[in-house]
Structures are given as C-alpha cells and as structure tokens.
Amino acid sequence: GHFPSTKQWYQRRVRGPLLAVPIGSFASTINCRATTANREQHENDDYRRRLGYGYKKSELQHYFNVRLADPILQHIVTQKVAALGIETVGDLLEVQIVCEILQTKNDFFAKNNIFVWVSLTCLTDEIVDTGSSIDSCVEELAKCPQVTGIGVNCTQPIFINNIVKRIKKVLIKFERKNVLIIVYPNSGETYLSRALKEGETNHWKKTDSNKNWNFADAALEWIENGAHIVGGCCRIGANEIADLVQELDKIKHQLKKAK
C-alpha cells in the first residue's frame, strides 16, 4: 500500500489543528505503576522493568487487538482523525506486537491515509523503560511500513538530542527518510509512583536535570537536530508551548525579512 511521505502529509494535513487519537502503552493497565520511564517506585516493585513488563505475549496482544479493532479504526475515519499515536511504549516486545498488528491492518491504513506514529518512553538515551536498546526498538518500527512516525515521549529532556540522533541513524540505515521524527518529553521531573513519604507533598520530584533548562530553547535545538513534530508530555503546559510558538514566530519573521 501507499503511505504518506513527510511532504505529502504536511501538504494534505497541516492547514490548522489536527485531530489525533492516542493509544497508551500496555503499562497503563498495570496497577500502581506509572507509564513514564523516569519514575520512582517502591524498592521491590521494579521487577516490572522486564521484557513484556513481566506479562505473557498473549496479554499484550489482546490489549492492542482490542484498541486497534476494526470498529474503532472505522470510527476514527468517520470522525476525520488525521493521526493515530501509539505512545509511551517502553518495551521491545510491545513494539514488536504493535508492528505485527499494524501489518494486519495494512489495507486500512493505506486506503485511509491515516498517519501512525509510535513513541517510546526511555530510561536513558540508550535504553527504553524495560531495558531493551532504543536502537532495537526503532529498528523494529523502521521495518514496519505502516509506521510513518517514530518518536519519544514522557522522557527526560536531557536525553532527547541523542535519541533523535539514534532515530535518524536507524531511519537512514533502513532507507525510511520520509518517516517523521516526533518529540514530546516531560519536564524532567521524576514521578513518584508510590505512596508519598513524610515531607513529600507532590508526586513529581524536582531533579538536577530539570532545574536549569528552558523548554522553548531546548525544543528549537530538537527541531534543528531533525525533529519534525515537537510538543510536551507530563508537566509541559500551555505556557511552555506558547513560548515555543513565540520563538518560532520570531524565526519566521526574521526569515521573511531576509528574503
């Protein structure tokens, strides 16, 4: 089937706000566990950083088969949805299952020109949440023609530039240069995925990595390094997005003056 290239997708779709439908990670079904990779749990809870989150392959398959069922996909077409985002994916087995299911829906995605992105939540700039390498996950996604966007979300901002470089390198290797790179990290704070201890008042804990950074400045750097779509996940709000829009408007104005 034919899937939209970067240029074609922009020309056809980007004329204002776009409607996207998100599908969260299987990890969202696990009791008392946040989906973001940068979380802090009780000491004995981290066994979930195992392939498949410690669950059977059939359980992950069922989760995505339900969420990508034909009636749901048909509904998003009738609602003129432009994109389907499978996000906060932190596991290699999960990536493989998503790709397998998307490939069974090949005719649907080709016929309806639905843009599909998959974004990873990463523990470092080398591994995803459950410990597999980012490269191995991106390679699986690059081999799946139904995936027309690959990205990273709900990950510490300090890791984003290196992750974008990894994605670009894999896309070049697999000759998928038309795939969009999508970036929407969180604030860099650690989520306390446990009961608060004495003295703690918020489930988001400040970290050294998020003390002296500016979202708009960082986002401009991500764009310069190859990100096509940029936004924010947890704790990145309207004010930060407005700051980025303002900076982009300044750049557009400067480019117009230079012509």
Side-chain angles (χ1 to χ4, degrees):
H2 174 73
F3 299 91
S5 68
T6 302
K7 185 177 179 182
Q8 290 168 329
W9 192 75
Y10 275 136
Q11 287 174 338
R12 186 173 64 253
R13 297 290 196 184
V14 182
R15 306 187 190 282
L18 303 176
L19 181 60
V21 169
I23 295 178
S25 164
F26 175 84
S28 64
T29 68
I30 301 173
N31 192 34
C32 298
R33 182 198 189 279
T35 54
T36 180
N38 57 309
R39 66 185 182 279
E40 183 180 308
Q41 300 175 219
H42 289 296
E43 292 178 9
N44 61 346
D45 283 348
D46 232 26
Y47 73 96
R48 292 300 184 198
R49 293 198 197 271
R50 291 195 320 224
L51 190 66
Y53 306 105
Y55 286 79
K56 296 176 182 177
K57 182 177 180 179
S58 59
E59 293 175 284
L60 276 74
Q61 286 172 323
H62 175 73
Y63 173 84
F64 285 104
N65 277 324
V66 170
R67 282 151 185 79
L68 291 168
D70 290 344
I72 292 175
L73 295 179
Q74 291 299 335
H75 182 66
I76 73 171
V77 171
T78 61
Q79 298 303 310
K80 301 191 184 319
V81 169
L84 181 67
I86 302 171
E87 57 183 13
T88 329
V89 174
D91 180 73
L92 177 59
L93 179 60
E94 186 172 38
V95 167
Q96 292 168 340
I97 289 168
V98 165
C99 290
E100 288 171 5
I101 294 173
L102 289 176
Q103 286 168 14
T104 68
K105 312 285 183 178
N106 176 73
D107 292 345
F108 168 84
F109 289 111
K111 176 184 175 182
N112 294 290
N113 283 325
I114 300 294
F115 177 78
V116 180
W117 85 74
V118 178
S119 58
L120 307 170
T121 180
C122 304
L123 186 60
T124 70
D125 57 7
E126 295 182 346
I127 61 172
V128 295
D129 185 13
T130 59
S132 296
S133 73
I134 294 170
D135 291 351
S136 62
C137 291
V138 176
E139 285 179 5
E140 291 292 329
L141 295 170
K143 290 186 287 187
C144 181
Q146 293 76 27
V147 174
T148 42
I150 299 174
V152 54
N153 79 291
C154 221
T155 296
Q156 293 185 65
I158 56 169
F159 299 136
I160 298 301
N161 277 324
N162 284 342
I163 294 172
V164 169
K165 290 175 186 175
R166 288 183 179 279
I167 295 172
K168 283 172 65 177
K169 187 175 180 180
V170 173
L171 292 178
I172 291 169
K173 175 183 175 182
F174 286 87
E175 299 182 344
R176 297 288 315 274
K177 295 179 186 178
N178 281 331
V179 169
L180 296 179
I181 297 175
I182 300 163
V183 167
Y184 51 119
N186 56 35
S187 64
E189 296 164 277
T190 297
Y191 183 75
L192 303 180
S193 187
R194 54 166 174 74
L196 295 179
K197 298 175 181 177
E198 187 176 346
E200 295 175 338
T201 58
N202 194 307
H203 276 279
W204 287 98
K205 183 173 72 174
K206 297 285 184 183
T207 61
D208 291 339
S209 68
N210 84 314
K211 283 180 180 175
N212 297 307
W213 79 289
N214 177 276
F215 172 76
D217 291 342
L220 291 176
E221 191 174 347
W222 304 331
I223 293 167
E224 188 175 329
N225 284 333
H228 300 101
I229 299 176
V230 170
C233 202
C234 298
R235 308 280 280 181
I236 300 296
N239 290 338
E240 287 81 7
I241 300 299
D243 290 343
L244 173 58
V245 171
Q246 188 175 39
E247 291 302 316
L248 289 171
D249 285 343
K250 287 180 187 176
I251 293 170
K252 288 178 185 176
H253 182 67
Q254 291 169 357
L255 291 173
K256 284 181 180 177
K257 285 181 67 177
K259 285 185 178 179

